[in-house]
Amino acid sequence: MKRPRFTMRFWGVRGTVPCPQPDRLRYGGNTSCIEVCCGDERLIFDAGTGLRSLGNELLSNEDSRLSHLFFTHTHLDHIAGLPFFRPAYDSKNHFEFWAGHLGAHGLSLQNVLKQLMQPPLFPVPLDILHACVSFHDFLPGDVLEPFPGVRLRTLALNHPGGATGYRIEFNKQAMCIITDVEHFGDDRDNSIVEFIRGANIVVYDCTYTEEEYPRFVGWGHSTWQQGVRLCEAAGAGRLVAFHHDPEHDDAFLDKVAAAMDHVRPGSVMAAEGLTLRP
Ligand SMILES: [Zn+2]
Ligand SMILES: [Zn+2]
């Protein structure tokens, strides 16, 4: 029997800020946005600038099914694409927006996004999104079921202001998205190890190399070497390096890719347009 498709496609792979320079375009210059399809259902993770291209593709396919959009958190590099997500301006469409890092701070996703989309920061207010949009705030640790048969586990991550990790379970397989996160010195974060245990694919915040990291302690990001250690400890499948530093050009990322594949064969660098299956 044919398995229903379970795919992950990258629309934006950078952290921090877009970097559309020619020597960075092979991996891509857009910020965080990942599309996961579970059979006919679509989940979107983060609304970085990559979301704009995803929206245009959905429009060109006249694909206006219900989508869920899960925010890892609301730093600018994870929300800057939202005002330019054209399907959200069409009243035929319906979106559910979710975030798990704000409730503990007494904030709500809707109010945070209102601040982004209002004059003088943006010419029109959030209400201009004519699609039917519902906003949900949950707590890390909650288990969500956006569609029957699709289970989403959630985890609080160590990041300034908080962030949420997601584990998407579908058809007895699992993919995890763990960004933005900083490790605790040399210690393994056992909550992450348990969370990603046995997952087929683990997308991990690999902003820095271990050599660079000491200059960025406290900035809320991790290294590909830490990603390897976590995946090894968890018996996880493929490690996907994500949230690339905008200062890293294609040549630099090629070197990281080779080093990573040498240490843990099968590991890959996220790149715009890359599609993965478990
Ligand atoms: Zn980020
Ligand atoms: Zn962040």
Side-chain angles (χ1 to χ4, degrees), residues 52-272:
R52 187 181 65 86
S53 321
L54 169 56
N56 291 347
E57 164 125 334
L58 295 181
L59 287 183
S60 68
N61 295 339
E62 295 185 7
D63 188 345
S64 57
R65 285 170 297 169
L66 163 72
S67 291
H68 289 260
L69 203 171
F70 298 90
F71 293 84
T72 59
H73 62 313
T74 42
H75 283 161
L76 265 184
D77 48 329
H78 300 256
I79 60 171
L82 184 65
F84 311 101
F85 183 50
R86 287 167 55 210
Y89 290 84
D90 185 336
S91 60
K92 288 200 305 292
N93 296 334
H94 183 125
F95 294 97
E96 307 271 336
F97 289 0
W98 300 80
H101 65 296
L102 295 168
H105 303 275
L107 299 169
S108 79
L109 179 60
Q110 184 169 12
N111 280 335
V112 168
L113 295 179
K114 257 186 193 162
Q115 291 174 37
L116 171 76
M117 288 182 70
Q118 68 172 354
L121 290 182
F122 192 70
V124 286
L126 182 66
D127 309 335
I128 199 77
L129 301 184
H130 289 303
C132 178
V133 180
S134 315
F135 298 87
H136 309 273
D137 291 279
F138 63 90
L139 291 173
D142 287 356
V143 179
L144 313 173
E145 193 177 341
F147 298 104
V150 179
R151 190 151 61 163
L152 217 62
R153 297 180 186 280
T154 64
L155 178 74
L157 302 177
N158 177 38
H159 190 67
T164 307
Y166 293 97
R167 176 184 174 112
I168 310 120
E169 298 177 343
F170 177 64
N171 202 20
K172 300 199 174 90
Q173 296 177 304
M175 305 201 240
C176 298
I177 298 173
I178 310 290
T179 198
D180 296 24
V181 65
E182 180 163 359
H183 49 289
F184 300 101
D186 288 335
D187 287 340
R188 258 196 340 241
D189 185 335
N190 282 320
S191 67
I192 296 180
V193 173
E194 288 316 312
F195 190 73
I196 66 173
R197 189 168 291 287
N200 304 80
I201 290 176
V202 177
V203 177
Y204 187 72
D205 179 341
C206 298
T207 302
Y208 307 121
T209 65
E210 213 146 69
E211 298 71 45
E212 295 170 314
Y213 174 68
R215 284 185 282 136
F216 302 102
V217 173
W219 288 40
H221 299 290
S222 193
T223 68
W224 67 265
Q225 288 94 339
Q226 183 67 12
V228 166
R229 283 191 283 272
L230 291 169
C231 285
E232 286 295 305
R238 178 175 293 225
L239 167 64
V240 185
F242 184 73
H243 204 272
H244 306 315
D245 189 326
E247 299 309 318
H248 291 165
D249 62 16
D250 289 335
F252 187 95
L253 293 180
D254 282 344
K255 279 190 207 142
V256 173
M260 223 171 60
D261 188 61
H262 180 70
V263 174
R264 196 164 194 268
S267 303
V268 292
M269 307 294 284
E272 265 178 51

Side-chain angles (χ1 to χ4, degrees), residues 10-14 17-31 49 52-53 244-254 269-274:
F10 293 89
W11 293 90
V13 298
R14 292 285 165 177
V17 72
C19 55
Q21 295 114 293
D23 62 356
R24 283 155 176 73
L25 294 185
R26 212 157 22 81
Y27 287 95
N30 282 302
T31 63
T49 63
R52 187 181 65 86
S53 321
H244 306 315
D245 189 326
E247 299 309 318
H248 291 165
D249 62 16
D250 289 335
F252 187 95
L253 293 180
D254 282 344
M269 307 294 284
E272 265 178 51
L274 175 70

